Structure formats: C-alpha cells, structure tokens
Amino acid sequence: NAGVTQTPKFQVLKTGQSMTLQCAQDMNHEYMSWYRQDPGMGLRLIHYSVGAGITDQGEVPNGYNVSRSTTEDFPLRLLSAAPSQTSVYFCASTSPSGQGTHYGYTFGSGTRLTVV
Amino acid sequence: RKEVEQDPGPFNVPEGATVAFNCTYSNSASQSFFWYRQDCRKEPKLLMSVYSSGNEDGRFTAQLNRASQYISLLIRDSKLSDSATYLCVVNRPGGGYQKVTFGTGTKLQVIP
C-alpha cells in the first residue's frame, strides 16, 4: 500500500521555468490537496479537490494550477517559477468519516523546490 | 487572534519526563481536531484525533477543552524518538469536512 506518492523529491528551477509536481494516491480518497510549508508560516493550502473534475483554490493559489481528471492523481503545475515559490510542497489526501469530519490527512513525502 | 495558535517551543525535556502542549483555536464552532507529528525534513503524520471525551493511545493523551477553546497533547515517559514538531489541526466550520487550519507547530526535543 503506497499511500500518497509525490515526485520529484527535489527540484531546482530557474526563474520563469514551468514544471509539474506529481501526486498520486491509491487509497480511493475523494479529497486531495496541495500545501506549501515555509519556515515560521506553517502549512498553507494552495489548491484542493473534493473529487474528479472538481478543484478549488486555497489560501495561496497564485502562480499554480491544478487538475483532477482521475480520483488517483492530482498534479500541481507551476506556470512561471519565481523565487517566492521556493518551498517544500506536500500533497495530502483524505476521505470523509461522517458528521462533518474526516479520517485525517495522509501526506506525501514532499517535494523540496528551489527557484533560482 | 489567529485561528490556531501553538507555542513554538522548543520544549527541552529529559527522557522519561511528562510533557504537555496546548493549542488554542478561535472559532467556537469548530468540531474536529487532530494532532500530527512532523519529523525534521519529513511529512506530517497523523498522531491522533481529539474527541470530546478525550483520546488515549499508549503514552499519548489528547483532550479537548471547549469552554476555553483549546486542545492538549500529553506525552508520558518521553522517549528520544518523540523528538519532533507537533502540529495541531482544527476544522473550519461551514467549509466542508476537508477544510482545516494547521497550527505552526510546537517543537519537542527529548534529551538523554
């Protein structure tokens, strides 16, 4: 059982380049999300999806796009990388457990992105 | 006031000690609460959910105080392997089951 798989683990980009961070889960979770984690700022939500074909913006969506064509995959695209996007990116997934809550998030192992 | 607040620490405790962290939340309508642990340069991992009646898992006990709007995590008989950052997570009412706010974490260092 792989859980949530993120690739790549490390990436260095030049300003203006684009790239896609991959995220796949094999737990049939309906909810998937992307977070970035910066020192002193905690985890901030970039984009999320509550099911295939449905996506929405989080707190810090600018400069990122997502799509959810299948339940399993939720790629994050950086359109034109900027140094401010240097961060650690985590993909997370979960499913509802009823009564307005969920089972807790399962996180991928993260992507450390540096934009120079 | 921040939605979720945690003392960043670090809490430096000797092996075998008991340590407790609190996490305060601002929205009294919040219904679900979690504790995660995050090791250095790793992903957060779910430690436990926090129920109204409290929750215990081995050396770890989580409690909810609705009147004062905080959750707590108690670790008994601390081990070196407990050294990590502990994140509290609180749901955002009215936003769907998935909408949560993460605290910035409390760092614990267990000393030999």
PDB file of all heavy atoms in Angstrom, chain B residues 20-47:
ATOM      1  N   ALA B  20       3.466  18.401  28.177  1.00  0.00           N
ATOM      2  CA  ALA B  20       2.142  18.704  27.620  1.00  0.00           C
ATOM      3  C   ALA B  20       2.218  19.957  26.760  1.00  0.00           C
ATOM      4  O   ALA B  20       2.911  20.923  27.099  1.00  0.00           O
ATOM      5  CB  ALA B  20       1.125  18.904  28.740  1.00  0.00           C
ATOM      6  N   PHE B  21       1.496  19.908  25.648  1.00  0.00           N
ATOM      7  CA  PHE B  21       1.381  21.065  24.769  1.00  0.00           C
ATOM      8  C   PHE B  21      -0.088  21.453  24.672  1.00  0.00           C
ATOM      9  O   PHE B  21      -0.953  20.592  24.674  1.00  0.00           O
ATOM     10  CB  PHE B  21       1.831  20.747  23.338  1.00  0.00           C
ATOM     11  CG  PHE B  21       3.090  19.975  23.228  1.00  0.00           C
ATOM     12  CD1 PHE B  21       3.131  18.830  22.467  1.00  0.00           C
ATOM     13  CD2 PHE B  21       4.245  20.403  23.853  1.00  0.00           C
ATOM     14  CE1 PHE B  21       4.295  18.112  22.337  1.00  0.00           C
ATOM     15  CE2 PHE B  21       5.413  19.693  23.729  1.00  0.00           C
ATOM     16  CZ  PHE B  21       5.444  18.536  22.964  1.00  0.00           C
ATOM     17  N   ASN B  22      -0.335  22.730  24.535  1.00  0.00           N
ATOM     18  CA  ASN B  22      -1.677  23.209  24.257  1.00  0.00           C
ATOM     19  C   ASN B  22      -1.745  23.841  22.890  1.00  0.00           C
ATOM     20  O   ASN B  22      -0.728  24.290  22.339  1.00  0.00           O
ATOM     21  CB  ASN B  22      -2.106  24.243  25.301  1.00  0.00           C
ATOM     22  CG  ASN B  22      -2.433  23.614  26.632  1.00  0.00           C
ATOM     23  OD1 ASN B  22      -2.649  22.412  26.730  1.00  0.00           O
ATOM     24  ND2 ASN B  22      -2.470  24.439  27.662  1.00  0.00           N
ATOM     25  N   CYS B  23      -2.947  23.891  22.379  1.00  0.00           N
ATOM     26  CA  CYS B  23      -3.210  24.536  21.088  1.00  0.00           C
ATOM     27  C   CYS B  23      -4.555  25.242  21.235  1.00  0.00           C
ATOM     28  O   CYS B  23      -5.568  24.590  21.529  1.00  0.00           O
ATOM     29  CB  CYS B  23      -3.263  23.476  19.993  1.00  0.00           C
ATOM     30  SG  CYS B  23      -3.950  24.052  18.424  1.00  0.00           S
ATOM     31  N   THR B  24      -4.565  26.547  21.045  1.00  0.00           N
ATOM     32  CA  THR B  24      -5.816  27.287  21.170  1.00  0.00           C
ATOM     33  C   THR B  24      -6.413  27.559  19.800  1.00  0.00           C
ATOM     34  O   THR B  24      -5.684  27.711  18.807  1.00  0.00           O
ATOM     35  CB  THR B  24      -5.603  28.632  21.897  1.00  0.00           C
ATOM     36  OG1 THR B  24      -4.649  29.407  21.155  1.00  0.00           O
ATOM     37  CG2 THR B  24      -5.084  28.419  23.293  1.00  0.00           C
ATOM     38  N   TYR B  25      -7.716  27.591  19.736  1.00  0.00           N
ATOM     39  CA  TYR B  25      -8.409  27.868  18.477  1.00  0.00           C
ATOM     40  C   TYR B  25      -9.439  28.957  18.693  1.00  0.00           C
ATOM     41  O   TYR B  25      -9.971  29.117  19.798  1.00  0.00           O
ATOM     42  CB  TYR B  25      -9.055  26.594  17.905  1.00  0.00           C
ATOM     43  CG  TYR B  25     -10.083  25.935  18.786  1.00  0.00           C
ATOM     44  CD1 TYR B  25     -11.439  26.218  18.629  1.00  0.00           C
ATOM     45  CD2 TYR B  25      -9.705  25.024  19.763  1.00  0.00           C
ATOM     46  CE1 TYR B  25     -12.391  25.617  19.435  1.00  0.00           C
ATOM     47  CE2 TYR B  25     -10.656  24.419  20.572  1.00  0.00           C
ATOM     48  CZ  TYR B  25     -11.987  24.715  20.404  1.00  0.00           C
ATOM     49  OH  TYR B  25     -12.924  24.117  21.204  1.00  0.00           O
ATOM     50  N   SER B  26      -9.716  29.704  17.639  1.00  0.00           N
ATOM     51  CA  SER B  26     -10.529  30.905  17.805  1.00  0.00           C
ATOM     52  C   SER B  26     -12.013  30.695  17.517  1.00  0.00           C
ATOM     53  O   SER B  26     -12.847  31.421  18.038  1.00  0.00           O
ATOM     54  CB  SER B  26      -9.992  32.025  16.907  1.00  0.00           C
ATOM     55  OG  SER B  26     -10.058  31.637  15.552  1.00  0.00           O
ATOM     56  N   ASN B  27     -12.347  29.703  16.684  1.00  0.00           N
ATOM     57  CA  ASN B  27     -13.743  29.529  16.290  1.00  0.00           C
ATOM     58  C   ASN B  27     -14.434  28.516  17.189  1.00  0.00           C
ATOM     59  O   ASN B  27     -14.134  27.315  17.137  1.00  0.00           O
ATOM     60  CB  ASN B  27     -13.819  29.080  14.825  1.00  0.00           C
ATOM     61  CG  ASN B  27     -15.221  29.197  14.258  1.00  0.00           C
ATOM     62  OD1 ASN B  27     -16.206  28.985  14.964  1.00  0.00           O
ATOM     63  ND2 ASN B  27     -15.323  29.545  12.993  1.00  0.00           N
ATOM     64  N   SER B  28     -15.353  28.994  17.990  1.00  0.00           N
ATOM     65  CA  SER B  28     -16.012  28.115  18.953  1.00  0.00           C
ATOM     66  C   SER B  28     -16.863  27.039  18.287  1.00  0.00           C
ATOM     67  O   SER B  28     -17.254  26.067  18.925  1.00  0.00           O
ATOM     68  CB  SER B  28     -16.887  28.954  19.896  1.00  0.00           C
ATOM     69  OG  SER B  28     -17.878  29.648  19.158  1.00  0.00           O
ATOM     70  N   ALA B  29     -17.158  27.201  16.991  1.00  0.00           N
ATOM     71  CA  ALA B  29     -17.976  26.209  16.287  1.00  0.00           C
ATOM     72  C   ALA B  29     -17.141  25.068  15.705  1.00  0.00           C
ATOM     73  O   ALA B  29     -17.707  24.133  15.127  1.00  0.00           O
ATOM     74  CB  ALA B  29     -18.769  26.892  15.170  1.00  0.00           C
ATOM     75  N   SER B  30     -15.848  25.105  15.864  1.00  0.00           N
ATOM     76  CA  SER B  30     -15.003  24.023  15.339  1.00  0.00           C
ATOM     77  C   SER B  30     -15.399  22.700  15.978  1.00  0.00           C
ATOM     78  O   SER B  30     -15.677  22.634  17.178  1.00  0.00           O
ATOM     79  CB  SER B  30     -13.527  24.320  15.617  1.00  0.00           C
ATOM     80  OG  SER B  30     -13.092  25.429  14.865  1.00  0.00           O
ATOM     81  N   GLN B  31     -15.414  21.637  15.140  1.00  0.00           N
ATOM     82  CA  GLN B  31     -15.928  20.363  15.614  1.00  0.00           C
ATOM     83  C   GLN B  31     -14.902  19.230  15.608  1.00  0.00           C
ATOM     84  O   GLN B  31     -15.073  18.241  16.314  1.00  0.00           O
ATOM     85  CB  GLN B  31     -17.120  19.930  14.735  1.00  0.00           C
ATOM     86  CG  GLN B  31     -18.341  20.813  14.873  1.00  0.00           C
ATOM     87  CD  GLN B  31     -18.985  20.682  16.236  1.00  0.00           C
ATOM     88  OE1 GLN B  31     -18.891  19.641  16.882  1.00  0.00           O
ATOM     89  NE2 GLN B  31     -19.620  21.740  16.689  1.00  0.00           N
ATOM     90  N   SER B  32     -13.885  19.334  14.762  1.00  0.00           N
ATOM     91  CA  SER B  32     -12.933  18.228  14.717  1.00  0.00           C
ATOM     92  C   SER B  32     -11.516  18.743  14.869  1.00  0.00           C
ATOM     93  O   SER B  32     -11.174  19.823  14.387  1.00  0.00           O
ATOM     94  CB  SER B  32     -13.099  17.419  13.426  1.00  0.00           C
ATOM     95  OG  SER B  32     -12.920  18.225  12.296  1.00  0.00           O
ATOM     96  N   PHE B  33     -10.722  17.920  15.563  1.00  0.00           N
ATOM     97  CA  PHE B  33      -9.389  18.331  15.973  1.00  0.00           C
ATOM     98  C   PHE B  33      -8.433  17.140  15.838  1.00  0.00           C
ATOM     99  O   PHE B  33      -8.828  15.997  16.065  1.00  0.00           O
ATOM    100  CB  PHE B  33      -9.411  18.783  17.444  1.00  0.00           C
ATOM    101  CG  PHE B  33     -10.495  19.775  17.751  1.00  0.00           C
ATOM    102  CD1 PHE B  33     -11.771  19.349  18.108  1.00  0.00           C
ATOM    103  CD2 PHE B  33     -10.246  21.127  17.675  1.00  0.00           C
ATOM    104  CE1 PHE B  33     -12.781  20.254  18.390  1.00  0.00           C
ATOM    105  CE2 PHE B  33     -11.248  22.051  17.948  1.00  0.00           C
ATOM    106  CZ  PHE B  33     -12.511  21.610  18.301  1.00  0.00           C
ATOM    107  N   PHE B  34      -7.210  17.454  15.478  1.00  0.00           N
ATOM    108  CA  PHE B  34      -6.220  16.396  15.279  1.00  0.00           C
ATOM    109  C   PHE B  34      -4.873  16.868  15.783  1.00  0.00           C
ATOM    110  O   PHE B  34      -4.575  18.060  15.789  1.00  0.00           O
ATOM    111  CB  PHE B  34      -6.070  16.068  13.780  1.00  0.00           C
ATOM    112  CG  PHE B  34      -7.343  15.671  13.095  1.00  0.00           C
ATOM    113  CD1 PHE B  34      -8.183  16.630  12.565  1.00  0.00           C
ATOM    114  CD2 PHE B  34      -7.690  14.341  12.967  1.00  0.00           C
ATOM    115  CE1 PHE B  34      -9.365  16.281  11.911  1.00  0.00           C
ATOM    116  CE2 PHE B  34      -8.857  13.973  12.318  1.00  0.00           C
ATOM    117  CZ  PHE B  34      -9.690  14.940  11.799  1.00  0.00           C
ATOM    118  N   TRP B  35      -4.035  15.905  16.127  1.00  0.00           N
ATOM    119  CA  TRP B  35      -2.617  16.150  16.360  1.00  0.00           C
ATOM    120  C   TRP B  35      -1.809  15.359  15.325  1.00  0.00           C
ATOM    121  O   TRP B  35      -2.087  14.181  15.076  1.00  0.00           O
ATOM    122  CB  TRP B  35      -2.197  15.701  17.758  1.00  0.00           C
ATOM    123  CG  TRP B  35      -2.588  16.638  18.851  1.00  0.00           C
ATOM    124  CD1 TRP B  35      -3.608  16.490  19.750  1.00  0.00           C
ATOM    125  CD2 TRP B  35      -1.955  17.870  19.187  1.00  0.00           C
ATOM    126  NE1 TRP B  35      -3.651  17.552  20.606  1.00  0.00           N
ATOM    127  CE2 TRP B  35      -2.648  18.415  20.287  1.00  0.00           C
ATOM    128  CE3 TRP B  35      -0.854  18.575  18.667  1.00  0.00           C
ATOM    129  CZ2 TRP B  35      -2.285  19.627  20.873  1.00  0.00           C
ATOM    130  CZ3 TRP B  35      -0.496  19.778  19.249  1.00  0.00           C
ATOM    131  CH2 TRP B  35      -1.205  20.286  20.338  1.00  0.00           C
ATOM    132  N   TYR B  36      -0.829  16.036  14.748  1.00  0.00           N
ATOM    133  CA  TYR B  36       0.118  15.405  13.833  1.00  0.00           C
ATOM    134  C   TYR B  36       1.519  15.581  14.404  1.00  0.00           C
ATOM    135  O   TYR B  36       1.788  16.535  15.131  1.00  0.00           O
ATOM    136  CB  TYR B  36       0.083  16.077  12.452  1.00  0.00           C
ATOM    137  CG  TYR B  36      -1.141  15.790  11.631  1.00  0.00           C
ATOM    138  CD1 TYR B  36      -2.374  16.364  11.940  1.00  0.00           C
ATOM    139  CD2 TYR B  36      -1.072  14.952  10.520  1.00  0.00           C
ATOM    140  CE1 TYR B  36      -3.499  16.105  11.187  1.00  0.00           C
ATOM    141  CE2 TYR B  36      -2.199  14.693   9.747  1.00  0.00           C
ATOM    142  CZ  TYR B  36      -3.399  15.277  10.096  1.00  0.00           C
ATOM    143  OH  TYR B  36      -4.517  15.017   9.324  1.00  0.00           O
ATOM    144  N   ARG B  37       2.410  14.677  14.034  1.00  0.00           N
ATOM    145  CA  ARG B  37       3.812  14.911  14.344  1.00  0.00           C
ATOM    146  C   ARG B  37       4.574  15.014  13.029  1.00  0.00           C
ATOM    147  O   ARG B  37       4.235  14.349  12.032  1.00  0.00           O
ATOM    148  CB  ARG B  37       4.399  13.805  15.218  1.00  0.00           C
ATOM    149  CG  ARG B  37       4.617  12.471  14.565  1.00  0.00           C
ATOM    150  CD  ARG B  37       5.466  11.549  15.441  1.00  0.00           C
ATOM    151  NE  ARG B  37       6.884  11.830  15.327  1.00  0.00           N
ATOM    152  CZ  ARG B  37       7.806  11.388  16.178  1.00  0.00           C
ATOM    153  NH1 ARG B  37       7.454  10.649  17.234  1.00  0.00           N
ATOM    154  NH2 ARG B  37       9.085  11.679  16.005  1.00  0.00           N
ATOM    155  N   GLN B  38       5.578  15.870  13.056  1.00  0.00           N
ATOM    156  CA  GLN B  38       6.395  16.059  11.866  1.00  0.00           C
ATOM    157  C   GLN B  38       7.861  15.983  12.280  1.00  0.00           C
ATOM    158  O   GLN B  38       8.347  16.834  13.045  1.00  0.00           O
ATOM    159  CB  GLN B  38       6.093  17.390  11.179  1.00  0.00           C
ATOM    160  CG  GLN B  38       6.839  17.565   9.866  1.00  0.00           C
ATOM    161  CD  GLN B  38       6.416  18.804   9.096  1.00  0.00           C
ATOM    162  OE1 GLN B  38       5.890  19.766   9.658  1.00  0.00           O
ATOM    163  NE2 GLN B  38       6.627  18.787   7.789  1.00  0.00           N
ATOM    164  N   ASP B  39       8.543  14.994  11.763  1.00  0.00           N
ATOM    165  CA  ASP B  39       9.978  14.884  11.982  1.00  0.00           C
ATOM    166  C   ASP B  39      10.704  15.830  11.037  1.00  0.00           C
ATOM    167  O   ASP B  39      10.167  16.207   9.978  1.00  0.00           O
ATOM    168  CB  ASP B  39      10.435  13.447  11.774  1.00  0.00           C
ATOM    169  CG  ASP B  39       9.845  12.519  12.814  1.00  0.00           C
ATOM    170  OD1 ASP B  39      10.166  12.698  14.000  1.00  0.00           O
ATOM    171  OD2 ASP B  39       9.041  11.646  12.451  1.00  0.00           O
ATOM    172  N   CYS B  40      11.931  16.184  11.418  1.00  0.00           N
ATOM    173  CA  CYS B  40      12.693  17.142  10.631  1.00  0.00           C
ATOM    174  C   CYS B  40      12.807  16.681   9.177  1.00  0.00           C
ATOM    175  O   CYS B  40      13.196  15.543   8.903  1.00  0.00           O
ATOM    176  CB  CYS B  40      14.067  17.310  11.266  1.00  0.00           C
ATOM    177  SG  CYS B  40      15.033  18.629  10.522  1.00  0.00           S
ATOM    178  N   ARG B  41      12.411  17.563   8.266  1.00  0.00           N
ATOM    179  CA  ARG B  41      12.527  17.320   6.835  1.00  0.00           C
ATOM    180  C   ARG B  41      11.677  16.138   6.359  1.00  0.00           C
ATOM    181  O   ARG B  41      11.997  15.493   5.351  1.00  0.00           O
ATOM    182  CB  ARG B  41      13.983  17.129   6.432  1.00  0.00           C
ATOM    183  CG  ARG B  41      14.848  18.340   6.764  1.00  0.00           C
ATOM    184  CD  ARG B  41      16.302  18.111   6.404  1.00  0.00           C
ATOM    185  NE  ARG B  41      16.535  18.124   4.971  1.00  0.00           N
ATOM    186  CZ  ARG B  41      16.689  19.220   4.253  1.00  0.00           C
ATOM    187  NH1 ARG B  41      16.605  20.411   4.812  1.00  0.00           N
ATOM    188  NH2 ARG B  41      16.899  19.142   2.950  1.00  0.00           N
ATOM    189  N   LYS B  42      10.604  15.868   7.101  1.00  0.00           N
ATOM    190  CA  LYS B  42       9.685  14.801   6.698  1.00  0.00           C
ATOM    191  C   LYS B  42       8.263  15.357   6.607  1.00  0.00           C
ATOM    192  O   LYS B  42       8.011  16.502   6.985  1.00  0.00           O
ATOM    193  CB  LYS B  42       9.708  13.667   7.729  1.00  0.00           C
ATOM    194  CG  LYS B  42      11.054  12.999   7.878  1.00  0.00           C
ATOM    195  CD  LYS B  42      11.333  12.092   6.709  1.00  0.00           C
ATOM    196  CE  LYS B  42      12.574  11.241   6.960  1.00  0.00           C
ATOM    197  NZ  LYS B  42      12.869  10.354   5.814  1.00  0.00           N
ATOM    198  N   GLU B  43       7.360  14.510   6.127  1.00  0.00           N
ATOM    199  CA  GLU B  43       5.976  14.920   6.043  1.00  0.00           C
ATOM    200  C   GLU B  43       5.268  14.789   7.387  1.00  0.00           C
ATOM    201  O   GLU B  43       5.653  13.952   8.214  1.00  0.00           O
ATOM    202  CB  GLU B  43       5.230  14.080   4.984  1.00  0.00           C
ATOM    203  CG  GLU B  43       4.919  12.647   5.380  1.00  0.00           C
ATOM    204  CD  GLU B  43       6.052  11.692   5.070  1.00  0.00           C
ATOM    205  OE1 GLU B  43       7.218  12.122   4.940  1.00  0.00           O
ATOM    206  OE2 GLU B  43       5.761  10.483   4.974  1.00  0.00           O
ATOM    207  N   PRO B  44       4.212  15.576   7.618  1.00  0.00           N
ATOM    208  CA  PRO B  44       3.410  15.389   8.828  1.00  0.00           C
ATOM    209  C   PRO B  44       2.726  14.025   8.786  1.00  0.00           C
ATOM    210  O   PRO B  44       2.311  13.546   7.730  1.00  0.00           O
ATOM    211  CB  PRO B  44       2.369  16.513   8.751  1.00  0.00           C
ATOM    212  CG  PRO B  44       2.937  17.508   7.795  1.00  0.00           C
ATOM    213  CD  PRO B  44       3.732  16.722   6.813  1.00  0.00           C
ATOM    214  N   LYS B  45       2.601  13.421   9.971  1.00  0.00           N
ATOM    215  CA  LYS B  45       1.902  12.143  10.073  1.00  0.00           C
ATOM    216  C   LYS B  45       0.866  12.239  11.180  1.00  0.00           C
ATOM    217  O   LYS B  45       1.140  12.795  12.250  1.00  0.00           O
ATOM    218  CB  LYS B  45       2.882  11.009  10.366  1.00  0.00           C
ATOM    219  CG  LYS B  45       3.815  10.723   9.201  1.00  0.00           C
ATOM    220  CD  LYS B  45       4.679   9.514   9.448  1.00  0.00           C
ATOM    221  CE  LYS B  45       5.541   9.243   8.213  1.00  0.00           C
ATOM    222  NZ  LYS B  45       6.456   8.106   8.411  1.00  0.00           N
ATOM    223  N   LEU B  46      -0.304  11.711  10.893  1.00  0.00           N
ATOM    224  CA  LEU B  46      -1.390  11.766  11.863  1.00  0.00           C
ATOM    225  C   LEU B  46      -1.007  11.012  13.127  1.00  0.00           C
ATOM    226  O   LEU B  46      -0.641   9.841  13.082  1.00  0.00           O
ATOM    227  CB  LEU B  46      -2.659  11.168  11.254  1.00  0.00           C
ATOM    228  CG  LEU B  46      -3.886  11.158  12.157  1.00  0.00           C
ATOM    229  CD1 LEU B  46      -4.338  12.581  12.461  1.00  0.00           C
ATOM    230  CD2 LEU B  46      -5.020  10.369  11.505  1.00  0.00           C
ATOM    231  N   LEU B  47      -1.095  11.705  14.260  1.00  0.00           N
ATOM    232  CA  LEU B  47      -0.816  11.087  15.555  1.00  0.00           C
ATOM    233  C   LEU B  47      -2.106  10.580  16.185  1.00  0.00           C
ATOM    234  O   LEU B  47      -2.219   9.422  16.552  1.00  0.00           O
ATOM    235  CB  LEU B  47      -0.136  12.110  16.469  1.00  0.00           C
ATOM    236  CG  LEU B  47       0.325  11.643  17.833  1.00  0.00           C
ATOM    237  CD1 LEU B  47       1.388  10.559  17.725  1.00  0.00           C
ATOM    238  CD2 LEU B  47       0.849  12.825  18.649  1.00  0.00           C
TER     239      LEU B  47
END
